[in-house]
Amino acid sequence: MLYRRITILKARSLIEDVVNMLNAFPSKNEIIDTISPATIIEGKPKLDLEKKMIVCGFYALVYTRTTNTNKPRAVPAIALRRSNNARGHYFMSLHSGKRIHGYEWEELSID
């Protein structure tokens, strides 16, 4: 087993992702069966699944904004969920345990 227990941050992100995905697709039992609830109520466009995505729970190096200092430019993290439809994702930093946001990352193998 890869994880001994699940953190509160990861559990919250999983629930938010499930709710977002349920609202992103139309239901067969609704009045309008071609438009998703997120499109009707919030005006969100359809999901673009051709953009770069990462699976929840995968290890990654998240590239942060760079400054001209000696601070690290890549943070090891665990993927949580998509944040928007513009390639943004939320990650949990392995250094601090806090949620970070990134547009650029590189998946790491577990080996």
Side-chain angles (χ1 to χ4, degrees):
M1 182 171 191
L2 187 58
Y3 303 110
R4 295 189 187 269
R5 63 187 179 125
I6 194 165
T7 63
I8 293 171
L9 179 63
K10 187 155 175 59
R12 180 180 289 164
S13 292
L14 284 171
I15 292 169
E16 289 174 358
D17 197 29
V18 167
V19 170
N20 285 338
M21 287 298 146
L22 285 174
N23 287 330
F25 294 101
S27 174
K28 293 180 182 178
N29 301 332
E30 298 294 326
I31 296 171
I32 304 173
D33 60 354
T34 58
I35 302 175
S36 70
T39 304
I40 295 170
I41 295 173
E42 299 175 2
K44 289 185 177 180
K46 291 183 179 180
L47 286 177
D48 188 3
L49 299 175
E50 293 185 9
K51 293 184 178 177
K52 183 179 176 184
M53 291 189 293
I54 187 167
V55 178
C56 178
F58 273 35
Y59 290 106
L61 275 179
V62 181
Y63 297 106
T64 59
R65 293 187 178 133
T66 60
T67 57
N68 200 9
T69 63
N70 288 333
K71 292 175 73 175
R73 295 187 174 127
V75 178
I78 296 175
L80 294 175
R81 68 179 183 92
R82 291 171 47 136
S83 64
N84 54 28
N85 209 11
R87 295 185 1 245
H89 278 71
Y90 288 122
F91 297 88
M92 182 177 70
S93 171
L94 293 179
H95 291 306
S96 65
K98 295 183 179 179
R99 185 173 79 169
I100 58 175
H101 186 264
Y103 286 99
E104 296 294 328
W105 67 87
E106 182 178 328
E107 288 184 27
L108 297 176
S109 64
I110 298 176
D111 299 344

